[in-house]
Amino acid sequence: MSDSIHDIAIESLMKEERIFDPPEEFRKRANINSPDIYKKAEENFEAFWDELAKSELHWFEPYQKVLDWNPPYARWFDGGKINVSYNCLDRHVLSGGGDKIAYYWEGEPGDTREVTYADLLRDVKKCANALKQLGVQKGDRVAIYMPMVPELPVAMLACARIGAPHTVVFGGFSADALAGRINDSQAKVLITADGGYRKGNIVPLKKNADEALKNTSSVEKVIVLKRTGHDVDMTPGRDIWWHDIVPNQSEDCPAEPLDSEHMLYLLYTSGTTAKPKGIVHTSAGYLLGVSLTHKWIFDIKPEDVYWCAADIGWVTGHSYIVYGPLANHTTSVIYEGAPDYPGPDRWWSIIEKYKVTILYTAPTAIRAHMKWGPQHAQAHDLSSLRLLGSVGEPINPEAWLWYYKYIGGERCPVVDTWWQTETGMIMISPLPGITRLKPGSATFPFPGVQADVVDEQGNSVPPGVGGYLVLKRPWPAMLRGIYGDPDRYVQTYWSRFPDVYFSGDGAKRDEEGYFWLLGRVDDVMNVSGHRISTIEVESALVDDPRVAEAAVIGQHDEVTGEAIFAFVILKSDVEPTPELGEELRQHVARKIGPIARPKRIMFTPDLPKTRSGKIMRRLLRDIANDRQLGDTTTLADASVVELIQSATKANV
Ligand code: WT7
């Protein structure tokens, strides 16, 4: 599929005309309440980051240079010595903040723990000493494959403390995926658990790990946390229980002063080829980027109870459950399990129980809640909430408004935050005390960030015209490379336009300069020479109150090149009929224009999704175009594909 973007204006795609001003009370108290901050950052962006690096972070030794930009390689705060775990823990405890709760933790079965900053520091030191005892040294990679329990951030911070880069593998990934990441990173130690809980079942992490380790050779030792307590195999000489090696360690473990550019972690993400890319993040710039964006975008105050409902196995969890919030001495909630276990109100009961003030989640989750209905939220007191966040995909205005109304009680700003594993930190987002919100728009680049929308030649496109979203200036939390593959780093991100970062996303700006994300450029359809983003058609479909979720792909068409094929999940009380299909086609034509009218609508009870909740349009394209299915290993539930496949065949 071609991924060029034709310069056509697609009008009124995200039709929601209302603008939401920051509530006056919110603005008055906001951490950032003057737009001067943008001007200041633009006047001298290096000076901007320099000042913040000094005020926000603790340094063992000062840096000599703010930025060394040798495209496409950036070095930030060179010459400085820093430790990320010291910044997240020691400095708060040393200044009397040890008793503050770092994490309210809630397990899926209902068990709970409160972990203070002092607790966390103590456990991190012990875990770091355990790693040292197992021979882990500065620079050695440590793989982590754990459920959402407090020991997961403990393990990450222990690695950071001794300068051993971690690579966290999401607990929903398979043994194969884990093996691939271990092999690529050549991890020396694996930290895992017997299992974790998900929807009332046990995820057999240790069993998967054992299988993965059959196909790897770098791992010498495995630390196993007891979480579920079910029987697991322990390989003598290789496997050690966490409770046998961590608790008895000394509490003395000074944080290692590390170079600003010391590798903090590797995180694997899928690209356009089958092999995941190991995205490299380093220490000082990353920590500055995530802590500052966290503080300003989520307007973090000492009394907040903040909940990012992502999994720590994704970059969202790394940056906005672990590093950003801890650097800011924030109290967070961590929840282990599924949002609808034991019932669809689990999230809302957690918000009520801990008096959560800030919630950060993904549009796909919001749409799931929409499908289950607002009555579950309405049964709980959500009045503690004051700010809502969204991340992961463009948020369709209907979901934005539902979130705003039913969860935020029409009083909480919604910050739609655009970023990527590669950017490390949020790049485009409102600042809730100053930005006028338009539902569906991620609004403006963060201060100091220079984003643009360009055409094939790299020229900025005028308002209303779709193009490629690029970043024209380095930023402190940017990726430093793809582990072990410098060519792919250059090729993927820096070769399309010289010295400009290519995000892989399409976007457009409106007359007021607001950014509207249009989805990945490889998910853009070309119908009769017109570019239409799958997300735009989906947004129009879910705008119909009977539709719960939709996925749109381009199907090969003799006449138009591609024709729009929409897979639609209806709300539970709605009957799928041919009439309804026709109405929805017309509805899309009305919302976007006749060009966007789906040629075909198929009602389906489910959609193929990755374990992180992203719809795999690629597979839908394969099904619709009757091609052999590509890689299905990241699917959360493989049976969904067969279901859709047989239904498609039945009525082709
Ligand atoms: C891709 C990055 C960043 C954390 C989660 C995903 C899409 C992300 C938004 C948003 C529109 C978004 C982009 C991006 N994306 N946030 N607010 N609006 N699109 O991280 O797995 O690296 O995915 O997610 O397409 O390129 P990731």
Side-chain angles (χ1 to χ4, degrees):
M1 153 174 284
S2 139
D3 61 358
S4 68
I5 289 208
H6 295 237
D7 56 341
I8 59 138
I10 305 168
E11 291 310 322
S12 61
L13 295 171
M14 305 276 193
K15 236 359 184 201
E16 168 54 52
E17 304 283 328
R18 270 180 295 169
I19 293 184
F20 295 79
D21 283 306
E24 186 51 23
E25 275 314 295
F26 194 103
R27 191 192 62 76
K28 270 197 256 164
R29 291 202 62 225
N31 289 344
I32 298 295
N33 50 23
S34 160
D36 291 348
I37 196 76
Y38 291 101
K39 227 178 8 191
K40 184 173 173 192
E42 280 316 298
E43 271 160 20
N44 186 340
F45 100 104
E46 283 190 35
F48 170 78
W49 289 117
D50 184 20
E51 185 184 324
L52 288 159
K54 291 186 171 112
S55 65
E56 299 296 308
L57 301 181
H58 166 274
W59 296 89
F60 289 123
E61 283 173 34
Y63 50 86
Q64 268 88 56
K65 195 159 189 225
V66 177
L67 171 64
D68 184 357
W69 179 222
N70 243 316
Y73 294 100
R75 297 182 67 83
W76 283 87
F77 312 117
D78 234 355
K81 294 272 187 203
I82 195 164
N83 184 286
V84 168
S85 98
Y86 187 96
N87 272 276
C88 289
L89 303 172
D90 305 54
R91 65 169 167 162
H92 306 313
V93 174
L94 290 171
S95 57
D99 291 339
K100 185 169 180 175
I101 305 278
Y103 294 120
Y104 286 113
W105 176 80
E106 175 133 341
E108 193 186 73
D111 44 343
T112 61
R113 278 160 69 182
E114 292 183 0
V115 184
T116 67
Y117 275 84
D119 295 335
L120 205 52
L121 177 57
R122 186 198 56 235
D123 292 351
V124 164
K125 287 176 170 173
K126 289 183 171 190
C127 183
N129 280 332
L131 290 171
K132 286 197 234 173
Q133 186 191 318
L134 296 180
V136 176
Q137 294 177 358
K138 182 164 125 182
D140 289 341
R141 276 81 58 219
V142 173
I144 302 177
Y145 182 60
M146 292 179 87
M148 286 277 285
V149 291
E151 285 82 0
L152 170 51
V154 166
M156 294 162 74
L157 290 156
C159 290
R161 197 164 188 86
I162 61 176
H166 55 70
T167 182
V168 178
V169 180
F170 172 54
F173 273 133
S174 64
D176 274 2
L178 175 61
R181 285 151 174 80
I182 288 173
N183 285 330
D184 192 79
S185 63
Q186 288 294 295
K188 190 170 179 179
V189 164
L190 170 66
I191 308 178
T192 185
D194 48 0
Y197 292 102
R198 185 81 193 179
K199 284 204 195 222
N201 302 315
I202 286 178
V203 183
L205 296 171
K206 179 61 166 66
K207 192 165 153 275
N208 294 347
D210 286 338
E211 219 171 291
L213 292 177
K214 285 184 197 151
N215 299 314
T216 62
S217 55
S218 60
V219 171
E220 294 165 13
K221 299 282 177 188
V222 182
I223 301 179
V224 187
L225 178 79
K226 190 169 263 189
R227 162 72 185 125
T228 53
H230 71 287
D231 266 346
V232 293
D233 293 337
M234 294 292 278
T235 302
R238 187 193 72 183
D239 301 350
I240 313 118
W241 286 108
W242 175 292
H243 57 255
D244 285 336
I245 190 165
V246 176
N248 56 4
Q249 295 290 332
S250 146
E251 288 181 27
D252 182 26
C253 179
E256 179 91 15
L258 300 166
D259 291 338
S260 293
E261 285 295 343
H262 187 80
M263 182 167 33
L264 176 63
Y265 69 79
L266 275 172
L267 188 60
Y268 287 83
T269 185
S270 1
T272 47
T273 72
K275 189 178 176 336
K277 306 174 276 195
I279 302 299
V280 176
H281 282 294
T282 61
S283 300
Y286 173 80
L287 190 63
L288 178 62
V290 300
S291 60
L292 192 77
T293 47
H294 181 252
K295 193 186 243 183
W296 288 5
I297 293 167
F298 297 108
D299 191 46
I300 296 298
K301 302 285 184 350
E303 62 278 10
D304 274 313
V305 179
Y306 158 90
W307 183 19
C308 168
D311 195 287
I312 292 174
W314 307 115
V315 75
T316 308
H318 281 57
S319 297
Y320 298 107
I321 297 177
V322 181
Y323 293 116
L326 293 177
N328 288 328
H329 199 206
T330 305
T331 295
S332 295
V333 169
I334 295 180
Y335 168 56
E336 178 188 31
D340 55 348
Y341 189 87
D345 70 333
R346 183 64 185 269
W347 275 21
W348 319 127
S349 82
I350 289 175
I351 289 177
E352 179 171 23
K353 177 172 170 188
Y354 297 103
K355 298 196 169 33
V356 170
T357 58
I358 302 163
L359 175 65
Y360 188 28
T361 184
T364 181
I366 298 165
R367 289 195 299 266
H369 287 293
M370 287 170 76
K371 189 165 110 184
W372 299 327
Q375 67 276 14
H376 306 293
Q378 283 161 340
H380 292 275
D381 177 5
L382 306 183
S383 62
S384 54
L385 285 171
R386 66 182 192 90
L387 180 63
L388 303 174
S390 173
V391 62
E393 57 181 309
I395 180 166
N396 49 297
E398 201 209 7
W400 196 104
L401 291 166
W402 191 93
Y403 195 28
Y404 181 76
K405 179 171 176 191
Y406 290 108
I407 308 308
E410 299 185 325
R411 71 181 177 275
C412 308
V414 176
V415 290
D416 174 9
T417 61
W418 178 87
W419 58 297
Q420 310 175 298
T421 305
E422 292 88 340
T423 68
M425 62 186 244
I426 296 169
M427 302 296 281
I428 302 179
S429 166
L431 292 175
I434 57 179
T435 309
R436 309 182 69 207
L437 306 173
K438 299 185 184 181
S441 168
T443 75
F444 304 109
F446 191 76
V449 168
Q450 198 179 43
D452 198 0
V453 182
V454 301
D455 62 17
E456 216 61 64
Q457 284 68 47
N459 301 314
S460 301
V461 297
V465 175
Y468 298 112
L469 178 66
V470 296
L471 301 165
K472 292 191 149 171
R473 185 196 266 166
W475 63 98
M478 67 190 281
L479 76 167
R480 300 302 199 264
I482 295 176
Y483 192 66
D485 201 345
D487 293 343
R488 193 175 180 194
Y489 173 64
V490 173
Q491 181 56 34
T492 309
Y493 305 109
W494 304 95
S495 64
R496 198 180 284 241
F497 310 110
D499 302 350
V500 166
Y501 174 85
F502 176 69
S503 70
D505 277 22
K508 66 173 180 174
R509 269 170 304 202
D510 65 19
E511 297 288 344
E512 294 177 294
Y514 281 69
F515 282 75
W516 297 79
L517 278 302
L518 301 174
R520 301 291 302 190
V521 289
D522 33 18
D523 287 330
V524 174
M525 298 170 293
N526 188 328
V527 182
S528 304
H530 298 285
R531 281 255 151 197
I532 300 166
S533 162
T534 51
I535 190 70
E536 288 156 355
V537 180
E538 290 164 7
S539 180
L541 284 166
V542 295
D543 179 71
D544 185 291
R546 293 164 295 187
V547 173
E549 187 148 21
V552 167
I553 50 113
Q555 184 178 29
H556 178 72
D557 186 280
E558 292 292 329
V559 182
T560 56
E562 280 185 298
I564 299 172
F565 190 162
F567 297 84
V568 170
I569 306 182
L570 294 172
K571 297 219 172 112
S572 45
D573 53 346
V574 182
E575 268 300 300
T577 61
E579 288 72 26
L580 177 54
E582 189 49 35
E583 280 176 46
L584 291 177
R585 293 178 64 237
Q586 293 312 331
H587 179 69
V588 175
R590 256 199 319 278
K591 285 292 277 192
I592 306 179
I595 171 99
R597 183 193 288 121
K599 179 151 188 209
R600 184 155 174 217
I601 285 185
M602 185 178 143
F603 297 113
T604 167
D606 213 338
L607 288 167
K609 289 189 182 163
T610 63
R611 292 183 185 89
S612 62
K614 279 203 169 60
I615 297 171
M616 295 184 76
R617 290 193 190 75
R618 181 171 56 74
L619 290 182
L620 292 173
R621 274 201 297 269
D622 291 348
I623 296 170
N625 292 304
D626 212 17
R627 290 191 299 245
Q628 201 185 335
L629 295 191
D631 182 17
T632 57
T633 54
T634 53
L635 264 181
D637 177 5
S639 63
V640 174
V641 170
E642 285 156 34
L643 198 83
I644 296 175
Q645 224 168 2
S646 55
T648 333
K649 287 231 168 71
N651 61 27
V652 161

